[in-house]
Amino acid sequence: MGAWSHEPFGNDDALDWVYQLENVKDESVLARVFNRAIENQDDYLEADDGFVIVAAAEVVAKLLGKGTQQDGYTEQVDAWVKSVDFQPSADLLAKAQTALDLVLGEESELKELWSEAEEEDRDAWYSNIEALKKILK
């Protein structure tokens, strides 16, 4: 699955996506991730898209001062959050919540993959998603 951790930036897809934050100083790059998922919500959600949704939701949580992951994998994200001067809009928060719901939905490859993981890892992933959803409310 390309993941080594249940955390938002514990996978290759999320770390690759971080580079899209460069040279952006608003929420447009985050909104684009959520909008793509919402606009295609009737389609099967591929794992790579799910990983990016979770990572983008973590960035929004960090903008609120309440991220769930703080380690070497988040250094670039943390620097970006410090460099921007905005708070997530209510619209972005709603879209992030909807996109996370899609990650947890029946048509989500990421959910399928985590459902096949060891119970401890699977439970940690679900707990992390629920923590993000709570932060974004």
Side-chain angles (χ1 to χ4, degrees):
M1 137 167 63
W4 54 87
S5 167
H6 68 276
E7 295 178 304
F9 290 97
N11 63 82
D12 293 326
D13 293 304
L15 293 178
D16 290 344
W17 172 79
V18 168
Y19 292 102
Q20 292 189 27
L21 295 173
E22 290 180 3
N23 303 317
V24 176
K25 296 296 182 189
D26 60 23
E27 63 183 40
S28 62
V29 69
L30 302 166
R32 198 166 31 254
V33 169
F34 305 136
N35 286 339
R36 185 174 55 234
I38 293 165
E39 289 166 3
N40 297 299
Q41 64 185 308
D42 293 332
D43 298 338
Y44 187 72
L45 182 64
E46 300 289 337
D48 55 343
D49 293 327
F51 280 128
V52 171
I53 290 166
V54 175
E58 173 71 7
V59 173
V60 175
K62 284 179 174 287
L63 286 166
L64 296 170
K66 302 175 183 177
T68 65
Q69 183 180 359
Q70 179 86 30
D71 57 25
Y73 295 113
T74 66
E75 287 177 357
Q76 190 174 354
V77 170
D78 296 332
W80 183 81
V81 167
K82 288 179 184 174
S83 77
V84 299
D85 186 27
F86 71 89
Q87 286 291 301
S89 66
D91 184 53
L92 185 69
L93 293 172
K95 288 177 180 180
Q97 291 171 30
T98 299
L100 284 175
D101 287 339
L102 294 171
V103 168
L104 292 175
E106 294 305 313
E107 295 297 317
S108 169
E109 183 181 24
L110 189 55
K111 179 185 174 188
E112 286 177 22
L113 293 171
W114 279 107
S115 70
E116 298 168 357
E118 297 285 330
E119 183 178 2
E120 183 178 336
D121 295 331
R122 178 181 62 240
D123 291 349
W125 181 75
Y126 278 111
S127 293
N128 190 264
I129 300 295
E130 290 304 321
L132 283 172
K133 288 177 64 176
K134 188 179 263 188
I135 291 167
L136 300 175
K137 283 192 177 197

